[in-house]
Amino acid sequence: MIAEPEPLGDRLVLTGRVVSASNAVLVGELDGVRVVYKPVAGERPLHDFPDGSLAMREVAAFLVSRATGWDVVPETRLVDGPYGVGMLQRWIDVDVEQEAVGLVPADAVPEAMLHVLDGLGADDEPVALVHEDAEALRRIAVLDLVLNNADRKGGHVLEVPGGHRHGIDHGLTMHAEPKLRTVLWGWIGEPLADGEVAGVRRVLDALDGDLGAELRALLAPEEVAALRVRCAALLE
C-alpha cells in the first residue's frame, strides 16, 4: 500500500521561500490558511536516508505525534502541489520573546534552564547550550526518542504564546537504525513521567490499528517495526 497524496489543484498559492533551509521549503496559503510546502523534488540526496522519502517521514512524524495526544507536530499531510508530491504543514506563528533552547555565557546559566554542554561561540568566547525545564519541551524530547529523530536542532522548536512548544522539520526520522541526534539532553538519566508513559503506550497500541496501516503506506516495513521496538523499550 502506498499513500495517495491529496491533489491541491490551484488551491495552494505560494508566497515565498525559506532560503536558509537545506531543502526546498516554500510558504503559501491554502484556503486562506498559511502553510509550509516541501516538495519531494526539492529534497537533496542523503547518504543514509532513502532518496525522496523525507516528505513521507514528515507526515509519519505527525501521525505518531497525533497518537501521543500531545500536539507536538503541526498538522501535516501528503499532497500533490505546484511542484509535485510533497508535504504540507500548518504554519505556526512564534512568540519571539521566548527562547526554549539557546546559547548563554558559560558563567551565566539561568537557574530555570537545564545545562546540556559547553563550547565556544562565534568569537571563541565560552558558552553553554541550555534549554528550559518545561513539560511541553520535555514531551518533544520523548517524541524524538520514539521517532528516532536525527535532526533536533534548537531552531526546530517553535515557542508559542502560553508556553506550548511545537516541533518541526521531521524529515530525518523513523530510520530503522539508531540515529538519534538532539540538543534536548537536559533530562538524561531521568525516568519518564506518568503522562509520558501514557503517550508512548497510546502510540504502541495504535500501531495495531489505523496508525499502523497509515505508517505502512509511508515507510518501509522494517521502519514501522523499529518504531514498535522503540516504544516497547521506552515502556520497559
Side-chain angles (χ1 to χ4, degrees), residues 1-149:
M1 182 171 60
I2 299 175
E4 288 292 331
E6 174 189 349
L8 296 182
D10 58 359
R11 292 164 53 206
L12 176 59
V13 179
L14 300 178
T15 58
R17 178 177 180 178
V18 180
V19 296
S20 60
S22 56
N23 297 303
V25 180
L26 306 174
V27 181
E29 288 191 358
L30 178 69
D31 302 333
V33 177
R34 199 174 186 193
V35 293
V36 173
Y37 167 53
K38 298 182 183 179
V40 170
E43 296 178 6
R44 294 184 180 180
L46 297 168
H47 75 277
D48 56 348
F49 279 80
D51 292 349
S53 71
L54 304 191
M56 275 66 77
R57 296 174 192 280
E58 294 248 28
V59 177
F62 163 70
L63 295 174
V64 174
S65 168
R66 186 177 65 182
T68 66
W70 298 339
D71 186 29
V72 170
V73 182
E75 180 184 358
T76 310
R77 59 190 195 264
L78 195 65
V79 300
D80 190 354
Y83 294 102
V85 174
M87 79 79 149
L88 193 81
Q89 186 173 81
R90 176 170 53 90
W91 176 274
I92 298 294
D93 289 315
V94 301
D95 183 350
V96 297
E97 299 299 320
Q98 300 184 51
E99 188 175 36
V101 183
L103 294 174
V104 300
D107 59 354
V109 175
E111 291 186 4
M113 305 292 275
L114 297 178
H115 177 268
V116 178
L117 56 81
D118 295 313
L120 296 176
D123 298 319
D124 287 337
E125 75 280 15
V127 296
L129 172 65
V130 299
H131 63 69
E132 63 186 359
D133 185 8
E135 179 183 59
L137 187 65
R138 182 172 159 127
R139 285 181 169 181
I140 295 181
V142 175
L143 182 63
D144 284 343
L145 294 172
V146 172
L147 297 175
N148 193 19
N149 192 353

Side-chain angles (χ1 to χ4, degrees), residues 104-218:
V104 300
D107 59 354
V109 175
E111 291 186 4
M113 305 292 275
L114 297 178
H115 177 268
V116 178
L117 56 81
D118 295 313
L120 296 176
D123 298 319
D124 287 337
E125 75 280 15
V127 296
L129 172 65
V130 299
H131 63 69
E132 63 186 359
D133 185 8
E135 179 183 59
L137 187 65
R138 182 172 159 127
R139 285 181 169 181
I140 295 181
V142 175
L143 182 63
D144 284 343
L145 294 172
V146 172
L147 297 175
N148 193 19
N149 192 353
D151 195 29
R152 176 61 70 204
K153 300 181 178 74
H156 295 173
V157 174
L158 302 185
E159 304 91 346
V160 297
H164 189 66
R165 302 291 181 251
H166 287 288
I168 59 169
D169 285 337
H170 294 100
L172 302 186
T173 58
M174 308 299 285
H175 203 289
E177 301 174 4
K179 296 283 184 181
L180 182 65
R181 185 171 60 223
T182 174
V183 298
L184 302 180
W185 280 117
W187 299 284
I188 190 168
E190 295 186 12
L192 271 64
D194 291 345
E196 295 159 356
V197 170
V200 176
R201 190 174 300 281
R202 283 192 288 270
V203 173
L204 187 58
D205 292 343
L207 286 175
D208 291 325
D210 291 344
L211 177 62
E214 291 171 317
L215 292 180
R216 286 190 291 274
L218 295 164

